[in-house]
Amino acid sequence: MGINIIIVLHMDDLKQIKNLIEKTLGVKCSSYKEEYIKRRLLSRMRSTGTGTYEEYSRYLGNHPAEWELLRNALTINVTEFFRDGEVFEIIRKELIPKILSEHGRIRIWCAGCSSGEEPYSLAMILSELTPRKGSITSTIYATDIDEKILQRAKEGIYESKTVEKLNQATIRRHFNELPDGRYEVKQHLKDMIHFRKHDLMSGVPASRYLDMVTCRNVTIYFTEQQKNDLARTFHSALNSGGFYVMGKTEYLGREVEGLFSHYNSLQKILCKNDV
């Protein structure tokens, strides 16, 4: 990464190493639960054979490549095309047709998009539902705080194992096979998506007048207050009756549960209330 930084010794205090991470990597540790930060740090400390924050800080100073490994550990992204298929079936069969019939266009924000599998999955659905409706505008805003993983998402190139669960017709329609065996998303999907860096804790939505927000398996790392603030951000960004698709293990806090109603409780799909 080419980072030049002087490590202050005796940095065995968690607050100090968190400050160092924020200054060096631009990753806001305050956006994550403290226990999550500790687990990620301890994982890297075990891998590097260091036993204290001070030792690990020294290791970072002597091994610049470790910064990128630490970044990956802190912003770890696990995703795949059409992850949790039941959710995408509801999006395909119910949500998108409803939005299109009411508005004649659709605007989606995929928050915490990681390496792009989720927004591209949504784009595949939209492409297949509106193949001959040239007057319909479909826009997907895909955001993440990690610029490096966003670049991977923009490129849209994936290992062959990533598309193994897709049927051959879908692969042929939406991907080009590259000489090295990887697969590249076709341009018609890329044209539907606007990738950009965005901090979910900024309080400012990536766009407004949205019909759907998907943010799955992201807030599990947030504090209760941060989850509440994010729910308010999504509420302000959505049109009346817009949908918020959460991760199946996530929930709304009591402070903000009145902002949304349950459209599908099992799949954690919510509908905006006008309050």
Side-chain angles (χ1 to χ4, degrees):
M1 291 176 60
I3 293 174
N4 295 315
I5 188 165
I6 298 175
I7 301 296
V8 179
L9 300 181
H10 310 296
M11 193 183 292
D12 55 357
D13 179 80
L14 180 61
K15 182 178 180 180
Q16 288 179 296
I17 198 168
K18 285 166 64 176
N19 289 338
L20 183 63
I21 290 169
E22 293 193 0
K23 291 177 181 178
T24 307
L25 296 179
V27 174
K28 290 188 177 180
C29 294
S30 58
S31 295
Y32 300 91
K33 292 180 180 178
E34 188 167 290
E35 287 304 312
Y36 172 77
I37 296 294
K38 288 180 180 178
R39 288 198 302 271
R40 298 291 94 201
L41 284 171
L42 289 174
S43 173
R44 292 309 310 155
M45 288 164 66
R46 284 194 294 269
S47 298
T48 56
T50 54
T52 66
Y53 293 138
E54 179 184 349
E55 289 178 9
Y56 185 58
S57 296
R58 290 182 179 182
Y59 187 92
L60 285 166
N62 295 323
H63 302 81
E66 174 62 19
W67 281 108
E68 193 61 29
L69 297 175
L70 177 58
R71 181 203 296 276
N72 292 338
L74 291 171
T75 60
I76 187 168
N77 295 281
V78 179
T79 186
E80 62 184 6
F81 292 109
F82 298 102
R83 184 182 184 186
D84 298 326
E86 302 91 342
V87 173
F88 280 100
E89 278 304 292
I90 295 173
I91 291 174
R92 180 195 302 271
K93 295 179 178 178
E94 299 178 32
L95 303 193
I96 290 178
K98 175 178 172 62
I99 293 167
L100 291 177
S101 67
E102 292 179 355
H103 302 290
R105 57 98 185 97
I106 186 166
R107 289 163 53 83
I108 300 173
W109 176 15
C110 182
C113 69
S114 184
S115 49
E117 287 90 338
E118 181 159 296
Y120 284 128
S121 297
L122 292 168
M124 287 183 223
I125 294 174
L126 287 169
S127 175
E128 293 165 10
L129 288 178
T130 61
R132 290 174 294 278
K133 299 180 181 179
S135 61
I136 291 179
T137 301
S138 303
T139 305
I140 300 171
Y141 301 96
T143 66
D144 203 280
I145 196 171
D146 188 332
E147 290 185 274
K148 187 168 184 177
I149 207 164
L150 272 176
Q151 185 56 42
R152 284 173 50 195
K154 290 178 183 178
E155 293 169 356
I157 298 175
Y158 299 93
E159 300 296 330
S160 58
K161 63 181 180 181
T162 311
V163 303
E164 286 178 352
K165 293 183 180 180
L166 303 180
N167 62 54
Q168 287 302 309
T170 298
I171 294 174
R172 287 194 299 271
R173 186 179 300 119
H174 299 301
F175 294 86
N176 292 315
E177 185 173 3
L178 302 177
D180 61 5
R182 295 184 298 170
Y183 288 81
E184 181 178 11
V185 174
K186 288 186 177 181
Q187 193 63 42
H188 69 274
L189 296 187
K190 293 182 179 180
D191 289 342
M192 298 169 67
I193 304 173
H194 301 278
F195 288 102
R196 66 179 67 161
K197 181 179 180 180
H198 180 269
D199 183 355
L200 288 175
M201 289 295 96
S202 68
V204 179
S207 187
R208 295 188 185 275
Y209 307 107
L210 298 164
D211 303 298
M212 186 190 309
V213 172
T214 66
C215 184
R216 303 192 300 148
N217 308 306
V218 175
T219 67
I220 54 175
Y221 306 127
F222 291 3
T223 65
E224 292 304 306
Q225 187 57 55
Q226 289 165 341
K227 291 179 185 179
N228 293 342
D229 291 342
L230 190 59
R232 294 186 181 98
T233 298
F234 290 158
H235 184 271
S236 70
L238 284 165
N239 287 320
S240 179
F243 297 101
Y244 172 19
V245 183
M246 306 179 70
K248 294 178 72 171
T249 62
E250 297 168 310
Y251 59 89
L252 284 180
R254 288 189 177 183
E255 284 185 19
V256 294
E257 59 186 3
L259 297 179
F260 297 90
S261 300
H262 287 278
Y263 177 85
N264 186 302
S265 300
L266 181 61
Q267 301 302 331
K268 293 295 182 71
I269 299 175
L270 310 176
C271 184
K272 174 179 175 175
N273 291 335
D274 292 326
V275 295

